[in-house]
């Protein structure tokens, strides 16, 4: 027994669990005991909070989270990491586009010289630029030129975005994909749309030009929007 | 990086999914598909901001509950505004914010109660939730009355501490 026989009565008192006789006794004691009055004060707010929970809520069988949750979280984590990589890839592609646009702008006064430089560097030949045809309606129009190079095929893509009320055309990521004769596809560039601007995107594939059956522009979800069959 | 990120998510799941699941099932009125979406989004947000979880466990839990509640409220508002457009009906009179506020509090308290020891919880359930006297609780739990008193004394303090950790002052 502690020096104060009432020292442990505080909680039972605020919970309303003391018998009427004990309660009267304890209340009498409180008048002369600052320590017990203090500890009752410390606990007085708890029954109000506890009453927000029902007994049935407490005794309800704890339901385990569904077994599909963890696998689904793991997928989300992988997806999200993929998106980070994609975002970095897109940023790199955007930087490449800037460089390409810059190069085009600086050589535009004398585009024949650019052609000469390109062909002398790689002794290339290639198709003339051809327009891609729409697979689904979209604000994007583009033309592409496939150029043989020593390491495979370079795809010079020129594309522009029509901005209308429907399409703001801003910040939408796209991918350039080449498809080989067996139907396998290969993403060769990604970029983000800029409204009312013509962009030059350079794609690079290790496939020989003759092995490429088609070039497509796709959304990041993989939906083809423009296609050029070679 | 790859495995540690996946590992972090597994730890989050093991630590918090059960508590969040119960809460979200209640928040969504038993719609388990929506509850799973909300638990998943909540844990993903925690995974993206692991600093949040460096706090005391109780505050981390309180943060997760709050995020889940906000997700439910946002979703509710979106559906309500869509409903308004389609049916031009007046918005429901039930203020979702207040309702989920109450629910949040009740789950925080229930969660705090689940963190104290079984012995402490037992006496609080008997003496408070079932309205039994110290003497009745002693008989039912087969322990001396003095033990019931001391367990309520320490149990209620443990509960107060758990609530404080979760940001609820009593």
């Amino acid at each position: 027994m502690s020096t104060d026989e009432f020292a442990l009565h505080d909680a039972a008192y605020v919970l309303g669990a003391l018998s009427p006789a004990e309660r009267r006794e304890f209340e009498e004691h409180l008048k002369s005991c600052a320590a017990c009055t203090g500890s009752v004060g410390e606990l007085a707010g708890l029954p109000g909070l506890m009453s927000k929970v029902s007994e049935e809520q407490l005794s309800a069988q704890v339901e385990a989270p569904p077994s599909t949750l963890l696998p689904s979280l793991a997928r989300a984590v992988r997806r999200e990491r993929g998106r980070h990589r994609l975002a970095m890839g897109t940023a790199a592609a955007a930087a490449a586009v800037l460089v390409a646009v810059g190069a085009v702008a600086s050589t535009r006064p004398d585009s024949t010289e650019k052609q000469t430089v390109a062909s002398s560097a790689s002794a290339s030949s290639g198709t003339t630029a051809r327009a891609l045809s729409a697979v689904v309606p979209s604000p994007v129009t583009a033309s592409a030129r496939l150029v043989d190079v020593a390491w495979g095929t370079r795809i010079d893509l020129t594309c522009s975005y029509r901005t209308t009320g429907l399409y703001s055309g801003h910040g939408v990521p796209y991918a350039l994909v080449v498809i080989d004769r067996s139907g396998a596809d290969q993403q060769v560039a990604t970029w983000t749309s800029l409204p009312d601007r013509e962009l030059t995107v350079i794609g690079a594939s290790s496939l020989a030009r003759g092995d490429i059956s088609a070039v497509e522009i796709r959304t990041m979800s993989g939906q083809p929007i423009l296609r050029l069959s070679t | 990086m790859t495995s540690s990120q996946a590992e972090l998510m597994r730890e989050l799941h093991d630590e918090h999914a059960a508590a969040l699941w119960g809460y979200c099932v209640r928040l969504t009125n038993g719609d388990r598909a929506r509850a799973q979406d909300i638990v998943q989004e909540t844990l993903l947000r925690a995974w993206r901001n692991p600093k949040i979880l460096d706090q005391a466990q109780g505050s981390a839990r309180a943060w997760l509950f709050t995020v889940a509640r906000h997700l439910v409220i946002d979703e509710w508002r979106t559906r309500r505004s869509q409903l308004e457009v389609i049916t031009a009906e007046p918005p429901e009179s039930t203020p979702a914010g207040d309702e989920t506020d109450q629910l949040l509090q009740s789950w925080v308290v229930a969660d705090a109660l689940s963190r104290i020891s079984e012995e402490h919880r037992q006496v609080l359930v008997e003496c408070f939730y079932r309205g039994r006297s110290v003497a009745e609780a002693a008989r039912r739990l087969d322990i001396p009355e003095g033990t019931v008193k001391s367990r309520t004394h320490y149990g209620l303090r443990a509960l107060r501490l758990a609530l404080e950790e979760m940001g609820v002052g009593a």
Side-chain angles (χ1 to χ4, degrees), chain A residues 99-167:
Chain A
V99 170
V101 168
V104 170
S106 65
T107 56
R108 187 159 286 160
D110 192 357
S111 56
T112 50
E113 185 191 89
K114 184 188 151 214
Q115 294 288 1
T116 317
V117 169
S119 55
S120 72
S122 53
S124 69
S125 65
T127 61
T128 52
R130 284 167 59 198
L132 280 70
S133 42
V135 178
V136 293
S138 83
V140 188
T141 51
S143 62
R145 178 168 173 268
L146 275 61
V147 182
D148 296 316
V149 286
W151 39 261
T153 308
R154 194 182 77 221
I155 298 101
D156 296 343
L157 184 81
T158 307
C159 66
S160 47
Y161 300 85
R162 190 179 66 247
T163 51
T164 68
L166 261 181
Y167 305 108

Side-chain angles (χ1 to χ4, degrees), chain B residues 109-164:
Chain B
V109 176
D111 197 44
L113 275 162
S114 75
R115 286 149 183 273
I116 64 175
S117 74
E118 179 59 32
E119 287 183 345
H120 286 158
R121 187 169 44 250
Q122 268 181 350
V123 293
L124 296 184
V125 166
E126 291 296 330
C127 292
F128 183 76
Y129 292 101
R130 298 190 179 146
R132 303 205 204 281
S133 69
V134 168
E136 285 169 332
R139 263 199 307 283
R140 288 178 58 90
L141 298 172
D142 200 21
I143 51 177
E145 286 185 31
T147 307
V148 173
K149 283 178 188 159
S150 70
R151 283 188 190 169
T152 54
H153 173 85
Y154 292 111
L156 213 48
R157 280 180 170 71
L159 178 63
R160 195 169 76 124
L161 200 65
L163 284 167
E164 275 170 4

Side-chain angles (χ1 to χ4, degrees), chain B residues 3 6 10 12 27-28 35 38 43 53-54 57 60 77 81 83-84 86 105 118 143 148 151 157-158 160:
Chain B
S3 64
R10 173 181 289 277
L12 280 171
L27 270 178
T28 57
I38 298 211
L43 289 176
L53 302 160
D54 290 345
Q57 208 218 9
R77 288 197 182 124
S81 64
L83 214 65
E84 277 169 14
I86 295 163
Q105 277 191 330
E118 179 59 32
I143 51 177
V148 173
R151 283 188 190 169
R157 280 180 170 71
R160 195 169 76 124

Side-chain angles (χ1 to χ4, degrees), chain B residues 57-73:
Chain B
Q57 208 218 9
S59 344
R61 188 66 68 75
W63 182 85
L64 291 168
F65 278 164
T66 306
V67 168
R69 174 174 162 269
H70 287 159
L71 289 170
V72 171
I73 290 177

Side-chain angles (χ1 to χ4, degrees), chain A residues 10 22 50 55 72 80, chain B residues 40 48 129-130 149 153:
Chain A
D10 53 356
E22 279 178 312
M50 289 168 77
E55 197 216 327
S72 155
E80 192 127 330
Chain B
Q40 174 160 337
R48 288 185 202 124
Y129 292 101
R130 298 190 179 146
K149 283 178 188 159
H153 173 85

Side-chain angles (χ1 to χ4, degrees), chain A residues 29 52 56 79 82 138-139 151 192 200 214:
Chain A
H29 168 76
K52 295 187 186 303
E56 91 189 359
R79 206 161 48 229
S138 83
W151 39 261
T192 301
T200 305

Side-chain angles (χ1 to χ4, degrees), chain A residues 7-12 14-19 22 38-40 42-43 45-59 62-66 68-70 72-74 76-81 83-84, chain B residues 1-2 5-6 9-10 13-14 17-18 21 25-26 32 36 39-40 43-44 47-48 102 105-107 109-110 113 124-125 127-130 132-135 145 149-150 152-154 156-157 159-160 163 168-170:
Chain A
L8 298 178
H9 282 49
D10 53 356
V14 302
L15 293 173
L18 291 180
S19 69
E22 279 178 312
S39 50
V40 165
E42 279 173 20
L43 302 180
L46 285 162
L49 282 170
M50 289 168 77
S51 66
K52 295 187 186 303
V53 183
S54 64
E55 197 216 327
E56 91 189 359
Q57 192 178 339
L58 282 182
S59 54
V62 179
E63 183 181 320
T68 51
L69 180 62
L70 186 57
S72 155
L73 283 166
V77 164
R78 280 197 299 275
R79 206 161 48 229
E80 192 127 330
R81 284 211 319 271
R83 200 176 301 152
H84 285 159
Chain B
M1 162 99 183
T2 299
Q5 291 292 306
M9 184 48 103
R10 173 181 289 277
H13 171 275
D14 293 350
W21 176 248
V25 167
R26 278 292 297 264
R32 282 167 175 74
Q36 181 161 351
V39 170
Q40 174 160 337
L43 289 176
L44 262 176
W47 173 76
R48 288 185 202 124
Q102 291 290 326
Q105 277 191 330
S106 91
W107 272 85
V109 176
L113 275 162
L124 296 184
V125 166
C127 292
F128 183 76
Y129 292 101
R130 298 190 179 146
R132 303 205 204 281
S133 69
V134 168
E145 286 185 31
K149 283 178 188 159
S150 70
T152 54
H153 173 85
Y154 292 111
L156 213 48
R157 280 180 170 71
L159 178 63
R160 195 169 76 124
L163 284 167
V168 181

